Amino acid sequence: MGLDFDFMVNRIPDFIKATVMTLKLSVLSILFSIIIGLLIEVARYFNLKIIGIISRAYIEFSRNTPLLLQVFFLYFGLTKLGIKLSGFACGVIGLSFLGGAYMAESFRAGVDAVSKSQMESGQALGLSKIQILRYIVMPISFSISIPSVAANCIFLVKETSVIASIAVGELMFVTKGIIGMYYKTKESLILVVIFYLIILLPMSIASRKIERRLRHGEFGS
């Protein structure tokens, strides 16, 4: 059987709304994930032992438990404790919780790649530890971390599909609803793939361009 193109055209507004919701989840979770990752790496840089222990436990817990389980705890478990959050809020918190651990590891790899001689040069110039972090460690480590951070951003966008499990109207939730209502599986799946590509392809292209520019600035032509 062929595709029902009229059906696909008529469902485009539904997928546009779902794409907007997916973008909201993605942008907020990526922003909070980057903030969490940076805070963890700054604490590690300054050798804050207690925070370091907590952050390591957080990273291991976050990366080794399913996002679905984390989201279910936020959405259903907290309700038992008298804390009621919207599905959207649970989605952002869950994605940020997961993404923060991955971002922290990306930034850690970038900071570890900064040579000791560069930091020692900063000390020889009389720079404080904060100034070394700001003017030496962060610029170099950021350029090194870009590919990994970009991959994490794309990963988080794709993980928004898990949030469909708590009835947030993102792309996967809308797709499942349309399939259940109209039994147009092929058409619905083609549409969801198209709209995911609309989000993810520009991100992938932009990350490659940013990486090339940063690498050119660091090493020259």
Side-chain angles (χ1 to χ4, degrees), residues 110 113-115 118 135-145 218:
V114 179
S115 66
Q118 289 172 308
Y135 296 112
I136 298 175
V137 175
M138 293 304 292
I140 297 173
S141 64
F142 183 71
S143 65
I144 295 170
S145 301
E218 183 178 352

Side-chain angles (χ1 to χ4, degrees), residues 64-137:
N64 291 288
T65 54
L67 176 59
L68 183 63
L69 178 62
Q70 297 170 14
V71 171
F72 274 10
F73 173 78
L74 292 168
Y75 192 68
F76 298 109
L78 291 183
T79 303
K80 302 296 183 181
L81 302 175
I83 303 173
K84 187 172 179 60
L85 299 174
S86 67
F88 181 82
C90 291
V92 171
I93 294 171
L95 288 166
S96 301
F97 184 79
L98 176 66
Y102 283 94
M103 292 296 183
E105 289 298 284
S106 296
F107 292 132
R108 179 189 62 78
V111 172
D112 287 347
V114 179
S115 66
K116 289 184 179 180
S117 62
Q118 289 172 308
M119 290 189 278
E120 289 171 353
S121 298
Q123 292 175 337
L125 292 172
L127 298 179
S128 66
K129 202 165 185 178
I130 294 176
Q131 289 173 321
I132 292 172
L133 175 67
R134 179 179 177 184
Y135 296 112
I136 298 175
V137 175

